[in-house]
């Protein structure tokens, strides 16, 4: 399964987010071209990068979908989800930065960092690759 475009987009995103101080973990889906990024051990949500719509049971906050054409914001059973296409990653990065600022303002920097520390012990991160 070739993920050329998804890998290119994910590598650019990782570089930009790493430059902004995010801790990033990456996971490749086994049956699709999807790539998942966890930001700050999930405290700042995650990004799903794909060439297709996702499964209904998974609700990533940030969704980067090739040639996405639809509403930017979707309320999914009370959970706000944001959608972008491969050409507007700059907007995605701004929204991710704003998410982090909102959470630090809400929890305080020390608590944000403590949540990262707690989440880092989750077994989930054994299947994700640490990239930043």
């Amino acid at each position: 399964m070739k993920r050329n475009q998804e890998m290119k987009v994910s590598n650019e995103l990782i570089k930009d987010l790493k430059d902004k101080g995010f801790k990033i973990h990456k996971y490749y889906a086994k049956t699709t071209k999807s790539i998942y990024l966890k930001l700050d051990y999930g405290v700042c949500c995650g990004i799903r990068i794909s060439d297709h719509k996702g499964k209904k049971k998974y609700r990533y906050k940030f969704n980067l979908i090739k040639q996405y054409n639809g509403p930017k914001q979707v309320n999914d059973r009370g959970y706000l989800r944001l959608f972008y296409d491969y050409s507007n990653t700059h907007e995605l990065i701004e929204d991710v930065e704003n998410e982090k600022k909102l959470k630090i303002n809400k929890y305080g920097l020390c608590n944000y960092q403590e949540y990262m520390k707690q989440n880092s012990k989750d077994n989930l991160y054994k299947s994700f690759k640490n990239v930043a």
Side-chain angles (χ1 to χ4, degrees):
M1 180 178 335
K2 291 194 176 190
R3 289 187 173 98
N4 296 346
Q5 201 169 10
E6 289 73 25
M7 286 181 70
K8 183 177 184 255
V9 170
S10 74
N11 289 339
E12 289 172 11
L13 262 180
I14 288 166
K15 181 188 176 305
D16 291 344
L17 291 168
K18 194 191 288 192
D19 289 347
K20 295 178 182 302
F22 284 89
K23 187 83 173 146
I24 305 164
H25 290 82
K26 177 167 49 173
Y27 177 79
Y28 295 102
K30 290 179 178 30
T31 59
T32 67
K33 293 181 181 180
S34 300
I35 298 172
Y36 300 91
L37 304 178
K38 287 283 191 184
L39 307 174
D40 290 347
Y41 290 99
V43 180
C44 193
C45 303
I47 301 171
R48 180 178 174 271
I49 303 164
S50 190
D51 64 347
H52 65 281
K53 285 175 116 179
K55 295 179 181 174
K56 283 192 179 224
K57 68 177 180 174
Y58 298 116
R59 295 183 290 169
Y60 271 76
K61 172 127 188 184
F62 300 105
N63 299 272
L64 185 59
I65 301 174
K66 182 180 183 178
Q67 298 176 330
Y68 177 76
N69 187 7
K72 179 185 186 288
Q73 296 186 5
V74 173
N75 185 323
D76 184 355
R77 294 170 282 170
Y79 188 75
L80 178 66
R81 300 179 67 202
L82 303 173
F83 293 84
Y84 313 82
D85 70 21
Y86 287 7
S87 68
N88 65 346
T89 57
H90 59 283
E91 189 179 339
L92 167 62
I93 290 169
E94 284 177 17
D95 289 347
V96 166
E97 285 183 294
N98 287 333
E99 178 77 13
K100 184 172 184 171
K101 286 177 193 166
L102 286 170
K103 288 193 171 167
I104 288 173
N105 286 340
K106 181 178 179 179
Y107 305 130
L109 181 59
C110 289
N111 284 333
Y112 184 93
Q113 292 170 333
E114 182 59 32
Y115 296 146
M116 282 178 60
K117 188 176 172 183
Q118 289 171 13
N119 286 0
S120 73
K121 297 172 186 166
D122 192 310
N123 282 338
L124 169 76
Y125 290 97
K126 289 181 178 155
S127 59
F128 276 71
K129 180 184 175 199
N130 182 0
V131 291

